[in-house]
Amino acid sequence: MNTFTSSELAGTAVFALVLAVIAFIIIRRMPGMGENITNLRKRTLVWTQVSLVLTVLQLNFKAGDWRFGIILGLIVLFTGALWLAARHYDLRRPGPDA
């Protein structure tokens, strides 16, 4: 098993922080998106599935090296969080007959 150096851990932490800030900004702007939330929800679901498949493939074919798998896992969490938030706002939006 490869060990992480301090620079790799710092880089992973910075990447996670950048993704968290971007997700926070996008989620805060969701209530004003209107009809675009449905499109965002569909796109983020596709990207969540793609990144999840890539993560599983990476972990299966690169036994012992977790570096890239962790980055892909962070992307899964990022796109999954955006999809859940978009789904939440899409379900709370009133329907056409309201």
Side-chain angles (χ1 to χ4, degrees):
M1 182 61 106
N2 296 331
T3 59
F4 290 104
T5 64
S6 59
S7 63
E8 290 171 340
L9 287 175
T12 303
V14 167
F15 184 70
L17 183 64
V18 167
L19 287 180
V21 168
I22 292 171
F24 179 76
I25 291 170
I26 292 172
I27 290 171
R28 293 276 296 186
R29 291 185 182 173
M30 277 186 191
M33 283 185 163
E35 293 295 323
N36 291 334
I37 287 196
T38 304
N39 294 333
L40 178 69
R41 186 174 54 113
K42 290 176 184 178
R43 281 181 296 195
T44 54
L45 181 61
V46 168
W47 282 109
T48 301
Q49 293 169 344
V50 167
S51 58
L52 187 60
V53 167
L54 289 174
T55 303
V56 170
L57 287 175
Q58 170 68 23
L59 294 176
N60 282 337
F61 292 128
K62 286 294 266 189
D65 190 10
W66 289 82
R67 292 177 182 106
F68 194 60
I70 287 174
I71 297 298
L72 285 171
L74 288 172
I75 294 171
V76 169
L77 291 175
F78 171 73
T79 56
L82 290 180
W83 176 76
L84 280 174
R87 183 175 182 268
H88 172 75
Y89 283 118
D90 198 25
L91 291 174
R92 285 185 51 192
R93 192 176 41 166
D97 56 342

